[in-house]
Structure formats: structure tokens, C-alpha cells
């Protein structure tokens, strides 16, 4: 499903947003304006995955290291590719400066009001903020012992988060909400939906979590944060319900076709594909169209190049980097005397 979401976003950028950021295509191409809603699916999936991760996290240190290992190896390489394209005179639609590039490496560009290194990276601020909020649930493992259910704590956090985001939407200006990302209700509710779906799939959802899930679905009636495709509120509500239903069906084994080799492959490379495709694709499309290629051929070349590079990054950088970081953490932890660490059950 992540692979499908990344592909939606990539095609949206190549077929629709290219003309707004770079210039018109040389030929008429289909408009995939609504493809940006792949981000909604990404956020729901992130909520789902983190809710499950908390139940397998023995300590806050483990949680933090696993998140860093998951995000940073591929992110640093993909950011380097984008900065290299800028250095070679490639398209730089938001005018990234060296200072903005350094700020972008924190993944917190939205919080400090600078453009991300690659326009696609704006979602990482929301991801990191959600991971930090979810860590509050992981703290229960430290302060209340391994028998504590971090999922129940997450339900309480999500219910309070939704309430705070709703009040924030009512009283805070949009400019403030864009900086205080956790109070940006249209995105916050997607993480909550994903987290509560994980609890539901596990058969552990309490009435509080069910109420939070229902409220999150209800808030979708306020409409999307962005609607480039002009789908309208009604369709958006159905879209989010469809995404949520698909995630739940997949999690409970009702969509075996998602296990086909192509979709598994796309899922494996989805993170580096999402990170690297936009500026790289823009540069390829611009160069090939200027060289006389048709728009369709140039876009296909950009897709193939992005998928190819994402594959290399996945297997040469992302996976080995994750393992190396986790091994280093495990070695550090194992070097601590037994008396310094409580026994684990």
C-alpha cells in the first residue's frame, strides 16, 4: 500500500504539479491532480505502523533508535541527490539556500518556516512530530513496567490530541497551525485513524479509542487541507473511509492480492522513491523535453530513473544503514553492566 501511495504522489508531481513549478509540458498530458491524496494514505499507514511498533518496544531508547534508523539513512542520501542536482544547475523551484539545506536535514522545516530540501519532504515534519507524540505512549513502558499496555495510553493521547487540534483549528490562525503541526487537524486525524485501526485490527480497541476513531472520521467532513483535484468534501470523506477500510482489510488478511511481487517490491522501495523522485524527475523531464522527447516519453524515463535509483538506495543504503544503526545501539546497550539495567521479562 505504501508503494501505491508513493506512485500516486510521483505521478501527481510529474503530470500535474510540474507545470506549476517548472513550466508547461511540450505535449498535452493527463492531469493526475488528485494523486496528492496518496499522502493521506501514507499518514494513515504511519499511524497504523507506529501503534503496532509501540507494543513491541522494550524501551524509549529502542523506539528512538528504530525511528532514526528507519528515517535517516535513506533521507540523507536522497537529500544529497537533490542537492547535487541543484549544484549542477537543475530545477530549484523553491530556491533552496545552503542555510535552508542545513535546516532541512533536521526534517523539521515546517516548524522553523524554511522550505524543505525537496518539496516532497514537507511531510517528514508531520511524521517526526507524530513519532514524538507516540513516544509519550512508549514512556509508559519505562515508568509503569512492561505489563503496561502502551496502546491504551496511545488511545488516551489520540483522544486528547484530536480535541486539542479541533480547538486549535477554531481559535488559531492558519499560519500558526502550519507551524504547530500537531494541531493541524486535517493531518492529525489521519494519524489517529491509522493508530486506532491498528488497535481495532488487534481486537484491543476500547470505547475511548472507538470514540476517537469515530470523531476522526467525523472531522473529515471539514474537508482536506489541500484539494488540487477539486474532488470536494463529500468525495474526500469517502476517500478517507476507503483508505481506512482498505488498511483494515489488508491487516486482517482480506486482500491477499496486495502480496503480489510487484506491489511488495514497490512497498519495499516506497520510502526512498517518495524522497528522491520529485526534483530528480523534474530535472529529467525538463532536460529530455528540451532535447526533443515527447512529454510521455520524458515522464516514463523519469519514472524508470526514480524507481531504479530508489531500488539502489533501498538495498545499498537504507537496509544496511538500518541494520548498522540497530547493531551499534545493541552493542552499546549490551556493554552496560547487568546491574545498571533492570531485568527484562
Amino acid at each position: 500500500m505504501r508503494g501505491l501511495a508513493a506512485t500516486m504522489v510521483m505521478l501527481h508531481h510529474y503530470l500535474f504539479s510540474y507545470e506549476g513549478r517548472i513550466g508547461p509540458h511540450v505535449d498535452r498530458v493527463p492531469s493526475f491532480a488528485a494523486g496528492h491524496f496518496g499522502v493521506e494514505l501514507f499518514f494513515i499507514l504511519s499511524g497504523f505502523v507506529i501503534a503496532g511498533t509501540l507494543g513491541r518496544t522494550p524501551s524509549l531508547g529502542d523506539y528512538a533508535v528504530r525511528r532514526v534508523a528507519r528515517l535517516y539513512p535513506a533521507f540523507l542520501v536522497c537529500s544529497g541527490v537533490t542537492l547535487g542536482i541543484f549544484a549542477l544547475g537543475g530545477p530549484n523551484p523553491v530556491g533552496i539556500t545552503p542555510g535552508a539545506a542545513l535546516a532541512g536535514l533536521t526534517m523539521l522545516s515546517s516548524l522553523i518556516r524554511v522550505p524543505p530540501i525537496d518539496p516532497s519532504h514537507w511531510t517528514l515534519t508531520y511524521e517526526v512530530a507524530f513519532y514524538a507524540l507516540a513516544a509519550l505512549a512508549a514512556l509508559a513502558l519505562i515508568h509503569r513496567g512492561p505489563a503496561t499496555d502502551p496502546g491504551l495510553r496511545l488511545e488516551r493521547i489520540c483522544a486528547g490530541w484530536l480535541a486539542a487540534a479541533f480547538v486549535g483549528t477554531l481559535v488559531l490562525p492558519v499560519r500558526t497551525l502550519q507551524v504547530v503541526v500537531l494541531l493541524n487537524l486535517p493531518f492529525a486525524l489521519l494519524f489517529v485513524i491509522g493508530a486506532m485501526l491498528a488497535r481495532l485490527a488487534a481486537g484491543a480497541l476500547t470505547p475511548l479509542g472507538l470514540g476517537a476513531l469515530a470523531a476522526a472520521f467525523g472531522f473529515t467532513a471539514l474537508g482536506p487541507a489541500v484539494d488540487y483535484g477539486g474532488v470536494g468534501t463529500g468525495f474526500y470523506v469517502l476517500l478517507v473511509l476507503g483508505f481506512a477500510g482498505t488498511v483494515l482489510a489488508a491487516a486482517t488478511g482480506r486482500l491477499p492480492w496486495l502480496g503480489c511481487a510487484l506491489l511488495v517490491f514497490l512497498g519495499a522501495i516506497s520510502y526512498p522513491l517518495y524522497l528522491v523522485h520529485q526534483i530528480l524527475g523534474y530535472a529529467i523531464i525538463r532536460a529530455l523535453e528540451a532535447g526533443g522527447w515527447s512529454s510521455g516519453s520524458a515522464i516514463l524515463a523519469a519514472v524508470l530513473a526514480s524507481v531504479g535509483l530508489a531500488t539502489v538506495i533501498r538495498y545499498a543504503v537504507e537496509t544496511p544503514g538500518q541494520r548498522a544503526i540497530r547493531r551499534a545501539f545493541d552493542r552499546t546497550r549490551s556493554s552496560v553492566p547487568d546491574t545498571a539495567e533492570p531485568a527484562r521479562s
Side-chain angles (χ1 to χ4, degrees):
M1 293 185 70
R2 279 176 166 157
L4 292 173
T7 301
M8 288 174 61
V9 173
M10 176 174 62
L11 293 178
H12 165 77
H13 288 146
Y14 294 170
L15 295 171
F16 177 78
S17 70
Y18 178 90
E19 296 202 352
R21 291 185 177 272
I22 307 300
H25 285 292
V26 296
D27 303 309
R28 186 178 180 86
V29 298
S31 176
F32 195 52
H36 68 93
F37 288 125
V39 168
E40 268 76 355
L41 180 54
F42 266 127
F43 284 169
I44 291 173
L45 288 169
S46 289
F48 188 96
V49 169
I50 290 301
T53 299
L54 291 175
R56 303 187 301 271
T57 301
S59 70
L60 186 59
D62 281 272
Y63 175 83
V65 168
R66 288 181 180 275
R67 290 299 92 201
V68 169
R70 174 73 180 91
L71 294 180
Y72 260 97
F75 170 73
L76 292 175
V77 172
C78 293
S79 295
V81 170
T82 299
L83 293 173
I85 292 171
F86 292 158
L88 294 173
N92 188 354
V94 294
I96 294 296
T97 63
L102 288 174
L105 293 176
T106 66
M107 297 189 181
L108 300 176
S109 299
S110 295
L111 295 179
I112 50 184
R113 300 195 66 80
V114 297
I117 294 171
D118 190 293
S120 296
H121 296 181
W122 70 268
T123 60
L124 295 177
T125 299
Y126 289 85
E127 295 275 1
V128 170
F130 171 64
Y131 294 161
L133 184 66
L136 296 176
L139 282 171
L141 293 169
I142 298 172
H143 297 308
R144 301 187 183 183
T148 301
D149 178 8
L152 180 57
R153 186 175 173 96
L154 183 61
E155 286 187 17
R156 296 168 182 161
I157 289 174
C158 284
W161 181 18
L162 270 182
F166 178 66
V167 172
T169 299
L170 293 177
V171 303
L172 295 175
V174 173
R175 192 177 185 87
T176 301
L177 292 173
Q178 290 173 342
V179 175
V180 188
V181 295
L182 285 175
L183 295 183
N184 202 322
L185 182 61
F187 297 128
L189 66 87
L190 298 168
F191 289 109
V192 171
I193 287 172
M196 296 304 98
L197 286 176
R199 296 280 289 169
L200 179 61
L205 192 66
T206 70
L208 175 63
L210 184 61
L213 180 61
F217 280 130
F219 287 144
T220 61
L222 297 175
V226 179
D227 186 7
Y228 290 123
V231 301
T233 298
F235 184 86
Y236 181 74
V237 172
L238 294 177
L239 183 72
V240 174
L241 286 171
F243 283 160
T246 304
V247 170
L248 184 61
T252 51
R254 292 180 172 87
L255 297 177
W257 56 268
L258 284 174
C260 77
L262 176 60
L263 293 183
V264 170
F265 166 72
L266 285 175
I269 68 167
S270 60
Y271 182 53
L273 178 62
Y274 178 81
L275 292 178
V276 82
H277 77 271
Q278 191 166 5
I279 295 300
L280 173 66
Y282 286 171
I284 291 172
I285 293 169
R286 188 177 72 173
L288 293 181
E289 287 187 342
W293 287 44
S294 69
S295 295
S297 298
I299 290 169
L300 178 60
V303 168
L304 294 176
S306 295
V307 169
L309 182 56
T311 302
V312 172
I313 293 171
R314 164 67 180 177
Y315 294 106
V317 177
E318 183 181 9
T319 300
Q322 288 179 15
R323 291 172 179 166
I325 292 172
R326 291 173 182 177
R327 282 198 299 266
F329 176 72
D330 289 340
R331 284 197 299 269
T332 301
R333 184 172 55 188
S334 63
S335 67
V336 178
D338 292 341
T339 56
E341 184 176 16
R344 299 183 186 276
S345 59

